[in-house]
């Protein structure tokens, strides 16, 4: 049940400090500590939504501290929508949904840069459609099959 690290893990493209500076810049946070708080809370919440190989592969793209935040909790039994993710994060951290959405966007922009388009596409395939916007991507609604 536990995610197992893959052998020969490549080194992440940036250190945790570099990731925090990227998030601090993206989110226009006044301090490094505020950026780190956003990284840890968003990644922990995201880790509860992703399962399987995508969770393991995403963790391997991140600096160790960020990977630990992503994998610190077991995945939730019920998957949230993107809006549910933001509302849950807001409730957990005591901020408004707008601030939670801002934090999510700043952190996931850095995650997207580290993971690359192929892995992010795989992650988004496992999540409800509205998560694409949280990752800064547009996704058109999938056509629903019509009953004949």
């Amino acid at each position: 049940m536990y995610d197992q690290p893959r052998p020969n893990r490549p080194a992440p493209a940036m250190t945790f400090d570099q990731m925090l500076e990227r998030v601090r810049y993206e989110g226009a946070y006044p301090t490094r500590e505020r950026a780190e708080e956003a990284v840890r809370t968003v990644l922990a919440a995201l880790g509860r939504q992703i399962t399987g190989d995508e969770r393991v592969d995403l963790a391997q793209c991140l600096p160790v501290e960020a990977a630990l935040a992503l994998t610190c909790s077991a995945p939730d039994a019920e998957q949230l929508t993107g809006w549910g993710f933001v509302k849950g994060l807001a409730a957990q951290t005591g901020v408004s949904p707008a601030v939670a959405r801002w934090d999510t966007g700043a952190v996931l922009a850095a995650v997207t840069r580290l993971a690359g388009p192929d892995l992010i596409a795989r992650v988004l395939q496992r999540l409800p459609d509205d998560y694409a916007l949280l990752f800064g991507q547009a996704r058109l609604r999938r056509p629903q099959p019509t009953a004949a």
Side-chain angles (χ1 to χ4, degrees):
M1 177 71 185
Y2 295 104
D3 295 326
Q4 297 297 315
R6 309 262 168 141
N8 302 322
R9 177 182 178 188
M14 64 176 72
T15 66
F16 189 61
D17 286 335
Q18 291 169 326
M19 182 182 186
L20 292 179
E21 285 306 313
R22 166 78 51 194
V23 170
R24 183 176 178 192
Y25 175 79
E26 292 285 336
Y29 296 116
T31 65
R32 181 183 182 281
E33 291 74 24
R34 177 64 184 95
E36 184 171 353
E37 179 184 329
V39 166
R40 292 188 187 280
T41 57
V42 170
L43 288 180
L46 181 64
R48 291 189 298 271
Q49 299 301 306
I50 301 174
T51 60
D53 288 343
E54 288 74 21
R55 179 179 160 117
V56 173
D57 293 346
L58 186 58
Q60 289 186 330
C61 293
L62 301 174
V64 171
E65 299 88 341
L68 290 172
L70 181 78
T71 58
C72 68
S73 299
D76 288 343
E78 189 174 322
Q79 199 171 53
L80 299 172
T81 65
W83 177 236
F85 177 87
V86 170
K87 287 191 318 186
L89 194 59
Q92 173 192 348
T93 58
V95 299
S96 71
V99 171
R101 173 60 181 95
W102 184 268
D103 290 349
T104 300
V107 172
L108 294 185
V111 169
T112 297
R113 174 178 225 121
L114 285 166
D118 293 338
L119 179 54
I120 293 301
R122 286 180 33 222
V123 168
L124 289 173
Q125 286 291 87
R126 306 271 253 147
L127 295 168
D129 285 343
D130 56 346
Y131 274 84
L133 292 174
L134 299 178
F135 282 87
Q137 299 182 18
R139 179 186 278 182
L140 298 175
R141 185 169 279 194
R142 295 181 198 146
Q144 299 297 319
T146 57

